[in-house]
Each structure stands twice: as structure tokens, then as C-alpha cells.
Amino acid sequence: MSDRQQILDTVTRLIEPFNKKGVALAEGITFAGDLEWDSLTVMDFVAAIEDEFDIIITMNMQAEIETVGQLVDAVAKLKDGGNG
């Protein structure tokens, strides 16, 4: 299993408690549109992602991340080059 696939699996697991509408999760799912998350939900979810992967997602990065796949790519990039 690739690192990216492991990140995707973890991200989708972390989304589940916030997935109140029971949306089928895929890389193209949007947080605002498909999942209908408000800003408070986004903040809680970002905190969970940061804790899980031991990374920091900046506000600028958050503004650019609209889909599950984009989040997985951002986490992969941060894990590779971020905190060493």
C-alpha cells in the first residue's frame, strides 16, 4: 500500500465522525459542497488531521483545499518536507 493510499485511508476515517449526511467518500468530494461543512466543523476536522499526522495546515493552505484528494496531497507534501 502506498503512502498516499495510507493517508487517504486515514483521512477518510477521520472524516467519518463529521460526515453527518453519510456521503460516500471519494477523492473528488468537496468539504463545503458535498459534505456541507460549516467553518466550525472545518476547524475541528483540521485539528484532527494535524494531530493525527503531526503537521500544521496553514490558513492559506486551508483556503486552497476543497476536495478530499487535495487534502491527501497536502498532507503527503507536509509529511515529506514539513517538520524535519
PDB file of all heavy atoms in Angstrom, residues 2-43:
ATOM      1  N   SER A   2       0.587   2.183  -0.879  1.00  0.00           N
ATOM      2  CA  SER A   2       1.406   3.388  -0.985  1.00  0.00           C
ATOM      3  C   SER A   2       1.160   4.318   0.196  1.00  0.00           C
ATOM      4  O   SER A   2       0.138   4.234   0.878  1.00  0.00           O
ATOM      5  CB  SER A   2       1.084   4.122  -2.288  1.00  0.00           C
ATOM      6  OG  SER A   2      -0.196   4.717  -2.194  1.00  0.00           O
ATOM      7  N   ASP A   3       2.116   5.215   0.416  1.00  0.00           N
ATOM      8  CA  ASP A   3       1.935   6.221   1.464  1.00  0.00           C
ATOM      9  C   ASP A   3       0.679   7.033   1.205  1.00  0.00           C
ATOM     10  O   ASP A   3      -0.074   7.332   2.121  1.00  0.00           O
ATOM     11  CB  ASP A   3       3.141   7.175   1.504  1.00  0.00           C
ATOM     12  CG  ASP A   3       4.340   6.549   2.202  1.00  0.00           C
ATOM     13  OD1 ASP A   3       4.195   5.450   2.768  1.00  0.00           O
ATOM     14  OD2 ASP A   3       5.413   7.174   2.175  1.00  0.00           O
ATOM     15  N   ARG A   4       0.459   7.392  -0.063  1.00  0.00           N
ATOM     16  CA  ARG A   4      -0.708   8.210  -0.395  1.00  0.00           C
ATOM     17  C   ARG A   4      -1.999   7.462  -0.067  1.00  0.00           C
ATOM     18  O   ARG A   4      -2.937   8.039   0.454  1.00  0.00           O
ATOM     19  CB  ARG A   4      -0.680   8.623  -1.863  1.00  0.00           C
ATOM     20  CG  ARG A   4      -1.723   9.678  -2.171  1.00  0.00           C
ATOM     21  CD  ARG A   4      -1.635  10.167  -3.624  1.00  0.00           C
ATOM     22  NE  ARG A   4      -2.506  11.309  -3.824  1.00  0.00           N
ATOM     23  CZ  ARG A   4      -3.833  11.239  -3.878  1.00  0.00           C
ATOM     24  NH1 ARG A   4      -4.447  10.074  -3.737  1.00  0.00           N
ATOM     25  NH2 ARG A   4      -4.564  12.324  -4.058  1.00  0.00           N
ATOM     26  N   GLN A   5      -2.032   6.180  -0.361  1.00  0.00           N
ATOM     27  CA  GLN A   5      -3.222   5.383  -0.057  1.00  0.00           C
ATOM     28  C   GLN A   5      -3.439   5.297   1.447  1.00  0.00           C
ATOM     29  O   GLN A   5      -4.572   5.378   1.922  1.00  0.00           O
ATOM     30  CB  GLN A   5      -3.101   3.972  -0.655  1.00  0.00           C
ATOM     31  CG  GLN A   5      -4.341   3.124  -0.462  1.00  0.00           C
ATOM     32  CD  GLN A   5      -5.582   3.700  -1.122  1.00  0.00           C
ATOM     33  OE1 GLN A   5      -5.537   4.107  -2.284  1.00  0.00           O
ATOM     34  NE2 GLN A   5      -6.691   3.766  -0.404  1.00  0.00           N
ATOM     35  N   GLN A   6      -2.360   5.164   2.205  1.00  0.00           N
ATOM     36  CA  GLN A   6      -2.486   5.122   3.662  1.00  0.00           C
ATOM     37  C   GLN A   6      -3.036   6.451   4.188  1.00  0.00           C
ATOM     38  O   GLN A   6      -3.873   6.468   5.086  1.00  0.00           O
ATOM     39  CB  GLN A   6      -1.138   4.821   4.314  1.00  0.00           C
ATOM     40  CG  GLN A   6      -0.707   3.380   4.142  1.00  0.00           C
ATOM     41  CD  GLN A   6       0.640   3.114   4.777  1.00  0.00           C
ATOM     42  OE1 GLN A   6       1.587   3.878   4.618  1.00  0.00           O
ATOM     43  NE2 GLN A   6       0.737   2.017   5.501  1.00  0.00           N
ATOM     44  N   ILE A   7      -2.543   7.555   3.623  1.00  0.00           N
ATOM     45  CA  ILE A   7      -3.036   8.878   4.033  1.00  0.00           C
ATOM     46  C   ILE A   7      -4.512   9.001   3.692  1.00  0.00           C
ATOM     47  O   ILE A   7      -5.313   9.452   4.510  1.00  0.00           O
ATOM     48  CB  ILE A   7      -2.214  10.006   3.370  1.00  0.00           C
ATOM     49  CG1 ILE A   7      -0.783   9.987   3.906  1.00  0.00           C
ATOM     50  CG2 ILE A   7      -2.874  11.363   3.610  1.00  0.00           C
ATOM     51  CD1 ILE A   7       0.184  10.872   3.129  1.00  0.00           C
ATOM     52  N   LEU A   8      -4.896   8.574   2.478  1.00  0.00           N
ATOM     53  CA  LEU A   8      -6.300   8.630   2.067  1.00  0.00           C
ATOM     54  C   LEU A   8      -7.165   7.811   3.021  1.00  0.00           C
ATOM     55  O   LEU A   8      -8.225   8.279   3.458  1.00  0.00           O
ATOM     56  CB  LEU A   8      -6.457   8.132   0.631  1.00  0.00           C
ATOM     57  CG  LEU A   8      -7.888   8.069   0.098  1.00  0.00           C
ATOM     58  CD1 LEU A   8      -8.555   9.434   0.101  1.00  0.00           C
ATOM     59  CD2 LEU A   8      -7.914   7.461  -1.297  1.00  0.00           C
ATOM     60  N   ASP A   9      -6.727   6.628   3.372  1.00  0.00           N
ATOM     61  CA  ASP A   9      -7.498   5.778   4.288  1.00  0.00           C
ATOM     62  C   ASP A   9      -7.675   6.457   5.649  1.00  0.00           C
ATOM     63  O   ASP A   9      -8.757   6.429   6.236  1.00  0.00           O
ATOM     64  CB  ASP A   9      -6.815   4.423   4.473  1.00  0.00           C
ATOM     65  CG  ASP A   9      -6.862   3.559   3.218  1.00  0.00           C
ATOM     66  OD1 ASP A   9      -7.615   3.895   2.284  1.00  0.00           O
ATOM     67  OD2 ASP A   9      -6.132   2.551   3.178  1.00  0.00           O
ATOM     68  N   THR A  10      -6.598   7.073   6.132  1.00  0.00           N
ATOM     69  CA  THR A  10      -6.666   7.744   7.435  1.00  0.00           C
ATOM     70  C   THR A  10      -7.565   8.969   7.366  1.00  0.00           C
ATOM     71  O   THR A  10      -8.386   9.197   8.262  1.00  0.00           O
ATOM     72  CB  THR A  10      -5.246   8.142   7.907  1.00  0.00           C
ATOM     73  OG1 THR A  10      -4.448   6.964   7.972  1.00  0.00           O
ATOM     74  CG2 THR A  10      -5.286   8.811   9.263  1.00  0.00           C
ATOM     75  N   VAL A  11      -7.430   9.748   6.293  1.00  0.00           N
ATOM     76  CA  VAL A  11      -8.264  10.943   6.128  1.00  0.00           C
ATOM     77  C   VAL A  11      -9.739  10.557   6.079  1.00  0.00           C
ATOM     78  O   VAL A  11     -10.572  11.170   6.752  1.00  0.00           O
ATOM     79  CB  VAL A  11      -7.850  11.732   4.865  1.00  0.00           C
ATOM     80  CG1 VAL A  11      -8.900  12.762   4.480  1.00  0.00           C
ATOM     81  CG2 VAL A  11      -6.504  12.420   5.090  1.00  0.00           C
ATOM     82  N   THR A  12     -10.075   9.522   5.313  1.00  0.00           N
ATOM     83  CA  THR A  12     -11.486   9.133   5.221  1.00  0.00           C
ATOM     84  C   THR A  12     -11.991   8.621   6.567  1.00  0.00           C
ATOM     85  O   THR A  12     -13.138   8.880   6.934  1.00  0.00           O
ATOM     86  CB  THR A  12     -11.732   8.087   4.115  1.00  0.00           C
ATOM     87  OG1 THR A  12     -10.870   6.972   4.302  1.00  0.00           O
ATOM     88  CG2 THR A  12     -11.493   8.671   2.740  1.00  0.00           C
ATOM     89  N   ARG A  13     -11.135   7.946   7.327  1.00  0.00           N
ATOM     90  CA  ARG A  13     -11.528   7.501   8.673  1.00  0.00           C
ATOM     91  C   ARG A  13     -11.800   8.705   9.573  1.00  0.00           C
ATOM     92  O   ARG A  13     -12.762   8.714  10.345  1.00  0.00           O
ATOM     93  CB  ARG A  13     -10.431   6.614   9.272  1.00  0.00           C
ATOM     94  CG  ARG A  13     -10.725   6.181  10.702  1.00  0.00           C
ATOM     95  CD  ARG A  13      -9.680   5.235  11.270  1.00  0.00           C
ATOM     96  NE  ARG A  13      -8.314   5.704  11.175  1.00  0.00           N
ATOM     97  CZ  ARG A  13      -7.760   6.582  12.039  1.00  0.00           C
ATOM     98  NH1 ARG A  13      -8.468   7.083  13.031  1.00  0.00           N
ATOM     99  NH2 ARG A  13      -6.496   6.928  11.896  1.00  0.00           N
ATOM    100  N   LEU A  14     -10.967   9.736   9.456  1.00  0.00           N
ATOM    101  CA  LEU A  14     -11.141  10.928  10.283  1.00  0.00           C
ATOM    102  C   LEU A  14     -12.362  11.749   9.858  1.00  0.00           C
ATOM    103  O   LEU A  14     -12.939  12.471  10.671  1.00  0.00           O
ATOM    104  CB  LEU A  14      -9.883  11.801  10.239  1.00  0.00           C
ATOM    105  CG  LEU A  14      -8.651  11.208  10.928  1.00  0.00           C
ATOM    106  CD1 LEU A  14      -7.425  12.049  10.632  1.00  0.00           C
ATOM    107  CD2 LEU A  14      -8.875  11.095  12.424  1.00  0.00           C
ATOM    108  N   ILE A  15     -12.757  11.643   8.595  1.00  0.00           N
ATOM    109  CA  ILE A  15     -13.940  12.364   8.116  1.00  0.00           C
ATOM    110  C   ILE A  15     -15.219  11.756   8.689  1.00  0.00           C
ATOM    111  O   ILE A  15     -16.176  12.472   8.984  1.00  0.00           O
ATOM    112  CB  ILE A  15     -14.006  12.362   6.568  1.00  0.00           C
ATOM    113  CG1 ILE A  15     -12.915  13.266   5.986  1.00  0.00           C
ATOM    114  CG2 ILE A  15     -15.388  12.794   6.067  1.00  0.00           C
ATOM    115  CD1 ILE A  15     -12.780  13.171   4.471  1.00  0.00           C
ATOM    116  N   GLU A  16     -15.228  10.443   8.880  1.00  0.00           N
ATOM    117  CA  GLU A  16     -16.459   9.739   9.249  1.00  0.00           C
ATOM    118  C   GLU A  16     -17.257  10.389  10.386  1.00  0.00           C
ATOM    119  O   GLU A  16     -18.472  10.566  10.249  1.00  0.00           O
ATOM    120  CB  GLU A  16     -16.175   8.270   9.558  1.00  0.00           C
ATOM    121  CG  GLU A  16     -16.029   7.408   8.319  1.00  0.00           C
ATOM    122  CD  GLU A  16     -17.221   7.481   7.380  1.00  0.00           C
ATOM    123  OE1 GLU A  16     -18.377   7.588   7.843  1.00  0.00           O
ATOM    124  OE2 GLU A  16     -17.004   7.431   6.165  1.00  0.00           O
ATOM    125  N   PRO A  17     -16.651  10.761  11.514  1.00  0.00           N
ATOM    126  CA  PRO A  17     -17.463  11.357  12.595  1.00  0.00           C
ATOM    127  C   PRO A  17     -18.107  12.685  12.197  1.00  0.00           C
ATOM    128  O   PRO A  17     -19.092  13.098  12.799  1.00  0.00           O
ATOM    129  CB  PRO A  17     -16.463  11.580  13.734  1.00  0.00           C
ATOM    130  CG  PRO A  17     -15.222  10.866  13.371  1.00  0.00           C
ATOM    131  CD  PRO A  17     -15.257  10.584  11.913  1.00  0.00           C
ATOM    132  N   PHE A  18     -17.533  13.341  11.185  1.00  0.00           N
ATOM    133  CA  PHE A  18     -18.055  14.633  10.735  1.00  0.00           C
ATOM    134  C   PHE A  18     -19.006  14.488   9.544  1.00  0.00           C
ATOM    135  O   PHE A  18     -19.591  15.462   9.093  1.00  0.00           O
ATOM    136  CB  PHE A  18     -16.893  15.554  10.314  1.00  0.00           C
ATOM    137  CG  PHE A  18     -15.919  15.853  11.420  1.00  0.00           C
ATOM    138  CD1 PHE A  18     -14.739  15.146  11.530  1.00  0.00           C
ATOM    139  CD2 PHE A  18     -16.183  16.850  12.349  1.00  0.00           C
ATOM    140  CE1 PHE A  18     -13.827  15.427  12.543  1.00  0.00           C
ATOM    141  CE2 PHE A  18     -15.283  17.140  13.370  1.00  0.00           C
ATOM    142  CZ  PHE A  18     -14.108  16.427  13.461  1.00  0.00           C
ATOM    143  N   ASN A  19     -19.147  13.265   9.038  1.00  0.00           N
ATOM    144  CA  ASN A  19     -19.919  13.011   7.823  1.00  0.00           C
ATOM    145  C   ASN A  19     -21.388  12.763   8.180  1.00  0.00           C
ATOM    146  O   ASN A  19     -21.898  11.658   8.068  1.00  0.00           O
ATOM    147  CB  ASN A  19     -19.318  11.805   7.085  1.00  0.00           C
ATOM    148  CG  ASN A  19     -19.934  11.568   5.731  1.00  0.00           C
ATOM    149  OD1 ASN A  19     -20.798  12.320   5.281  1.00  0.00           O
ATOM    150  ND2 ASN A  19     -19.503  10.512   5.077  1.00  0.00           N
ATOM    151  N   LYS A  20     -22.048  13.822   8.610  1.00  0.00           N
ATOM    152  CA  LYS A  20     -23.426  13.719   9.119  1.00  0.00           C
ATOM    153  C   LYS A  20     -24.417  13.300   8.040  1.00  0.00           C
ATOM    154  O   LYS A  20     -25.465  12.743   8.335  1.00  0.00           O
ATOM    155  CB  LYS A  20     -23.882  15.046   9.730  1.00  0.00           C
ATOM    156  CG  LYS A  20     -22.979  15.564  10.837  1.00  0.00           C
ATOM    157  CD  LYS A  20     -22.936  14.630  12.025  1.00  0.00           C
ATOM    158  CE  LYS A  20     -22.164  15.236  13.170  1.00  0.00           C
ATOM    159  NZ  LYS A  20     -21.489  14.279  13.997  1.00  0.00           N
ATOM    160  N   LYS A  21     -24.100  13.588   6.788  1.00  0.00           N
ATOM    161  CA  LYS A  21     -25.020  13.265   5.693  1.00  0.00           C
ATOM    162  C   LYS A  21     -24.780  11.880   5.109  1.00  0.00           C
ATOM    163  O   LYS A  21     -25.494  11.457   4.216  1.00  0.00           O
ATOM    164  CB  LYS A  21     -24.898  14.325   4.595  1.00  0.00           C
ATOM    165  CG  LYS A  21     -25.309  15.717   5.069  1.00  0.00           C
ATOM    166  CD  LYS A  21     -25.262  16.717   3.946  1.00  0.00           C
ATOM    167  CE  LYS A  21     -26.090  16.268   2.796  1.00  0.00           C
ATOM    168  NZ  LYS A  21     -27.230  17.011   2.411  1.00  0.00           N
ATOM    169  N   GLY A  22     -23.740  11.187   5.596  1.00  0.00           N
ATOM    170  CA  GLY A  22     -23.454   9.856   5.089  1.00  0.00           C
ATOM    171  C   GLY A  22     -23.028   9.848   3.634  1.00  0.00           C
ATOM    172  O   GLY A  22     -23.338   8.925   2.885  1.00  0.00           O
ATOM    173  N   VAL A  23     -22.308  10.878   3.216  1.00  0.00           N
ATOM    174  CA  VAL A  23     -21.836  10.982   1.839  1.00  0.00           C
ATOM    175  C   VAL A  23     -20.799   9.887   1.579  1.00  0.00           C
ATOM    176  O   VAL A  23     -19.927   9.642   2.411  1.00  0.00           O
ATOM    177  CB  VAL A  23     -21.206  12.381   1.603  1.00  0.00           C
ATOM    178  CG1 VAL A  23     -20.572  12.476   0.226  1.00  0.00           C
ATOM    179  CG2 VAL A  23     -22.249  13.475   1.793  1.00  0.00           C
ATOM    180  N   ALA A  24     -20.917   9.233   0.423  1.00  0.00           N
ATOM    181  CA  ALA A  24     -19.913   8.241   0.028  1.00  0.00           C
ATOM    182  C   ALA A  24     -18.618   8.978  -0.277  1.00  0.00           C
ATOM    183  O   ALA A  24     -18.581   9.852  -1.138  1.00  0.00           O
ATOM    184  CB  ALA A  24     -20.394   7.471  -1.199  1.00  0.00           C
ATOM    185  N   LEU A  25     -17.556   8.636   0.441  1.00  0.00           N
ATOM    186  CA  LEU A  25     -16.324   9.404   0.345  1.00  0.00           C
ATOM    187  C   LEU A  25     -15.472   8.951  -0.830  1.00  0.00           C
ATOM    188  O   LEU A  25     -15.295   7.761  -1.059  1.00  0.00           O
ATOM    189  CB  LEU A  25     -15.533   9.275   1.646  1.00  0.00           C
ATOM    190  CG  LEU A  25     -16.252   9.829   2.876  1.00  0.00           C
ATOM    191  CD1 LEU A  25     -15.426   9.576   4.122  1.00  0.00           C
ATOM    192  CD2 LEU A  25     -16.547  11.305   2.710  1.00  0.00           C
ATOM    193  N   ALA A  26     -14.966   9.937  -1.568  1.00  0.00           N
ATOM    194  CA  ALA A  26     -14.051   9.714  -2.686  1.00  0.00           C
ATOM    195  C   ALA A  26     -13.181  10.952  -2.796  1.00  0.00           C
ATOM    196  O   ALA A  26     -13.459  11.978  -2.165  1.00  0.00           O
ATOM    197  CB  ALA A  26     -14.833   9.488  -3.975  1.00  0.00           C
ATOM    198  N   GLU A  27     -12.132  10.876  -3.599  1.00  0.00           N
ATOM    199  CA  GLU A  27     -11.185  11.983  -3.672  1.00  0.00           C
ATOM    200  C   GLU A  27     -11.800  13.270  -4.211  1.00  0.00           C
ATOM    201  O   GLU A  27     -11.332  14.357  -3.899  1.00  0.00           O
ATOM    202  CB  GLU A  27      -9.973  11.589  -4.515  1.00  0.00           C
ATOM    203  CG  GLU A  27      -9.114  10.560  -3.810  1.00  0.00           C
ATOM    204  CD  GLU A  27      -7.718  10.460  -4.378  1.00  0.00           C
ATOM    205  OE1 GLU A  27      -7.155  11.501  -4.752  1.00  0.00           O
ATOM    206  OE2 GLU A  27      -7.191   9.344  -4.436  1.00  0.00           O
ATOM    207  N   GLY A  28     -12.848  13.167  -5.005  1.00  0.00           N
ATOM    208  CA  GLY A  28     -13.465  14.355  -5.577  1.00  0.00           C
ATOM    209  C   GLY A  28     -14.509  15.025  -4.692  1.00  0.00           C
ATOM    210  O   GLY A  28     -15.052  16.071  -5.051  1.00  0.00           O
ATOM    211  N   ILE A  29     -14.800  14.443  -3.541  1.00  0.00           N
ATOM    212  CA  ILE A  29     -15.798  15.002  -2.627  1.00  0.00           C
ATOM    213  C   ILE A  29     -15.295  16.333  -2.067  1.00  0.00           C
ATOM    214  O   ILE A  29     -14.166  16.435  -1.608  1.00  0.00           O
ATOM    215  CB  ILE A  29     -16.092  14.010  -1.475  1.00  0.00           C
ATOM    216  CG1 ILE A  29     -16.759  12.745  -2.007  1.00  0.00           C
ATOM    217  CG2 ILE A  29     -16.929  14.642  -0.371  1.00  0.00           C
ATOM    218  CD1 ILE A  29     -18.123  12.951  -2.611  1.00  0.00           C
ATOM    219  N   THR A  30     -16.157  17.360  -2.108  1.00  0.00           N
ATOM    220  CA  THR A  30     -15.786  18.665  -1.567  1.00  0.00           C
ATOM    221  C   THR A  30     -16.323  18.804  -0.150  1.00  0.00           C
ATOM    222  O   THR A  30     -17.401  18.310   0.174  1.00  0.00           O
ATOM    223  CB  THR A  30     -16.330  19.815  -2.428  1.00  0.00           C
ATOM    224  OG1 THR A  30     -17.754  19.735  -2.465  1.00  0.00           O
ATOM    225  CG2 THR A  30     -15.770  19.768  -3.842  1.00  0.00           C
ATOM    226  N   PHE A  31     -15.542  19.525   0.668  1.00  0.00           N
ATOM    227  CA  PHE A  31     -15.921  19.699   2.070  1.00  0.00           C
ATOM    228  C   PHE A  31     -17.108  20.654   2.202  1.00  0.00           C
ATOM    229  O   PHE A  31     -18.060  20.377   2.923  1.00  0.00           O
ATOM    230  CB  PHE A  31     -14.726  20.190   2.891  1.00  0.00           C
ATOM    231  CG  PHE A  31     -13.591  19.201   2.901  1.00  0.00           C
ATOM    232  CD1 PHE A  31     -12.445  19.433   2.164  1.00  0.00           C
ATOM    233  CD2 PHE A  31     -13.686  18.030   3.622  1.00  0.00           C
ATOM    234  CE1 PHE A  31     -11.407  18.513   2.158  1.00  0.00           C
ATOM    235  CE2 PHE A  31     -12.655  17.100   3.623  1.00  0.00           C
ATOM    236  CZ  PHE A  31     -11.512  17.342   2.883  1.00  0.00           C
ATOM    237  N   ALA A  32     -17.064  21.774   1.488  1.00  0.00           N
ATOM    238  CA  ALA A  32     -18.133  22.768   1.604  1.00  0.00           C
ATOM    239  C   ALA A  32     -19.388  22.329   0.849  1.00  0.00           C
ATOM    240  O   ALA A  32     -20.497  22.434   1.370  1.00  0.00           O
ATOM    241  CB  ALA A  32     -17.656  24.121   1.079  1.00  0.00           C
ATOM    242  N   GLY A  33     -19.208  21.826  -0.373  1.00  0.00           N
ATOM    243  CA  GLY A  33     -20.351  21.492  -1.215  1.00  0.00           C
ATOM    244  C   GLY A  33     -20.995  20.167  -0.880  1.00  0.00           C
ATOM    245  O   GLY A  33     -22.164  20.099  -0.516  1.00  0.00           O
ATOM    246  N   ASP A  34     -20.223  19.082  -0.990  1.00  0.00           N
ATOM    247  CA  ASP A  34     -20.781  17.742  -0.808  1.00  0.00           C
ATOM    248  C   ASP A  34     -21.075  17.428   0.658  1.00  0.00           C
ATOM    249  O   ASP A  34     -22.128  16.897   0.992  1.00  0.00           O
ATOM    250  CB  ASP A  34     -19.834  16.686  -1.381  1.00  0.00           C
ATOM    251  CG  ASP A  34     -19.653  16.825  -2.884  1.00  0.00           C
ATOM    252  OD1 ASP A  34     -20.666  17.045  -3.584  1.00  0.00           O
ATOM    253  OD2 ASP A  34     -18.513  16.727  -3.355  1.00  0.00           O
ATOM    254  N   LEU A  35     -20.121  17.747   1.536  1.00  0.00           N
ATOM    255  CA  LEU A  35     -20.289  17.422   2.952  1.00  0.00           C
ATOM    256  C   LEU A  35     -21.040  18.515   3.713  1.00  0.00           C
ATOM    257  O   LEU A  35     -21.495  18.292   4.826  1.00  0.00           O
ATOM    258  CB  LEU A  35     -18.920  17.178   3.603  1.00  0.00           C
ATOM    259  CG  LEU A  35     -18.172  15.947   3.073  1.00  0.00           C
ATOM    260  CD1 LEU A  35     -16.752  15.897   3.623  1.00  0.00           C
ATOM    261  CD2 LEU A  35     -18.908  14.661   3.408  1.00  0.00           C
ATOM    262  N   GLU A  36     -21.136  19.698   3.104  1.00  0.00           N
ATOM    263  CA  GLU A  36     -21.862  20.851   3.681  1.00  0.00           C
ATOM    264  C   GLU A  36     -21.339  21.225   5.062  1.00  0.00           C
ATOM    265  O   GLU A  36     -22.093  21.490   5.985  1.00  0.00           O
ATOM    266  CB  GLU A  36     -23.368  20.570   3.725  1.00  0.00           C
ATOM    267  CG  GLU A  36     -23.985  20.402   2.358  1.00  0.00           C
ATOM    268  CD  GLU A  36     -25.483  20.151   2.415  1.00  0.00           C
ATOM    269  OE1 GLU A  36     -26.107  20.303   3.476  1.00  0.00           O
ATOM    270  OE2 GLU A  36     -26.039  19.808   1.355  1.00  0.00           O
ATOM    271  N   TRP A  37     -19.999  21.265   5.195  1.00  0.00           N
ATOM    272  CA  TRP A  37     -19.390  21.628   6.466  1.00  0.00           C
ATOM    273  C   TRP A  37     -19.383  23.139   6.655  1.00  0.00           C
ATOM    274  O   TRP A  37     -19.093  23.883   5.724  1.00  0.00           O
ATOM    275  CB  TRP A  37     -17.962  21.125   6.537  1.00  0.00           C
ATOM    276  CG  TRP A  37     -17.861  19.637   6.725  1.00  0.00           C
ATOM    277  CD1 TRP A  37     -18.887  18.750   6.821  1.00  0.00           C
ATOM    278  CD2 TRP A  37     -16.662  18.882   6.819  1.00  0.00           C
ATOM    279  NE1 TRP A  37     -18.396  17.481   6.972  1.00  0.00           N
ATOM    280  CE2 TRP A  37     -17.040  17.529   6.982  1.00  0.00           C
ATOM    281  CE3 TRP A  37     -15.322  19.210   6.782  1.00  0.00           C
ATOM    282  CZ2 TRP A  37     -16.104  16.518   7.110  1.00  0.00           C
ATOM    283  CZ3 TRP A  37     -14.388  18.199   6.912  1.00  0.00           C
ATOM    284  CH2 TRP A  37     -14.778  16.861   7.077  1.00  0.00           C
ATOM    285  N   ASP A  38     -19.660  23.572   7.879  1.00  0.00           N
ATOM    286  CA  ASP A  38     -19.502  24.990   8.217  1.00  0.00           C
ATOM    287  C   ASP A  38     -18.077  25.200   8.733  1.00  0.00           C
ATOM    288  O   ASP A  38     -17.296  24.266   8.864  1.00  0.00           O
ATOM    289  CB  ASP A  38     -20.548  25.430   9.248  1.00  0.00           C
ATOM    290  CG  ASP A  38     -20.481  24.643  10.552  1.00  0.00           C
ATOM    291  OD1 ASP A  38     -19.451  23.998  10.835  1.00  0.00           O
ATOM    292  OD2 ASP A  38     -21.472  24.686  11.296  1.00  0.00           O
ATOM    293  N   SER A  39     -17.751  26.460   9.024  1.00  0.00           N
ATOM    294  CA  SER A  39     -16.375  26.781   9.398  1.00  0.00           C
ATOM    295  C   SER A  39     -15.950  26.109  10.700  1.00  0.00           C
ATOM    296  O   SER A  39     -14.788  25.736  10.862  1.00  0.00           O
ATOM    297  CB  SER A  39     -16.179  28.296   9.485  1.00  0.00           C
ATOM    298  OG  SER A  39     -17.096  28.851  10.409  1.00  0.00           O
ATOM    299  N   LEU A  40     -16.864  25.933  11.634  1.00  0.00           N
ATOM    300  CA  LEU A  40     -16.529  25.285  12.899  1.00  0.00           C
ATOM    301  C   LEU A  40     -16.179  23.815  12.678  1.00  0.00           C
ATOM    302  O   LEU A  40     -15.201  23.297  13.247  1.00  0.00           O
ATOM    303  CB  LEU A  40     -17.683  25.413  13.892  1.00  0.00           C
ATOM    304  CG  LEU A  40     -17.420  24.872  15.293  1.00  0.00           C
ATOM    305  CD1 LEU A  40     -16.251  25.607  15.936  1.00  0.00           C
ATOM    306  CD2 LEU A  40     -18.661  25.006  16.154  1.00  0.00           C
ATOM    307  N   THR A  41     -16.936  23.145  11.846  1.00  0.00           N
ATOM    308  CA  THR A  41     -16.645  21.743  11.524  1.00  0.00           C
ATOM    309  C   THR A  41     -15.287  21.634  10.855  1.00  0.00           C
ATOM    310  O   THR A  41     -14.494  20.737  11.171  1.00  0.00           O
ATOM    311  CB  THR A  41     -17.744  21.161  10.613  1.00  0.00           C
ATOM    312  OG1 THR A  41     -19.000  21.301  11.276  1.00  0.00           O
ATOM    313  CG2 THR A  41     -17.488  19.700  10.294  1.00  0.00           C
ATOM    314  N   VAL A  42     -15.008  22.552   9.929  1.00  0.00           N
ATOM    315  CA  VAL A  42     -13.714  22.549   9.240  1.00  0.00           C
ATOM    316  C   VAL A  42     -12.581  22.707  10.253  1.00  0.00           C
ATOM    317  O   VAL A  42     -11.588  21.981  10.207  1.00  0.00           O
ATOM    318  CB  VAL A  42     -13.650  23.656   8.165  1.00  0.00           C
ATOM    319  CG1 VAL A  42     -12.239  23.818   7.630  1.00  0.00           C
ATOM    320  CG2 VAL A  42     -14.618  23.345   7.031  1.00  0.00           C
ATOM    321  N   MET A  43     -12.728  23.642  11.199  1.00  0.00           N
ATOM    322  CA  MET A  43     -11.692  23.853  12.209  1.00  0.00           C
ATOM    323  C   MET A  43     -11.464  22.604  13.045  1.00  0.00           C
ATOM    324  O   MET A  43     -10.321  22.215  13.310  1.00  0.00           O
ATOM    325  CB  MET A  43     -12.056  25.034  13.116  1.00  0.00           C
ATOM    326  CG  MET A  43     -11.845  26.377  12.456  1.00  0.00           C
ATOM    327  SD  MET A  43     -12.387  27.780  13.473  1.00  0.00           S
ATOM    328  CE  MET A  43     -11.760  27.383  15.075  1.00  0.00           C
TER     329      MET A  43
END
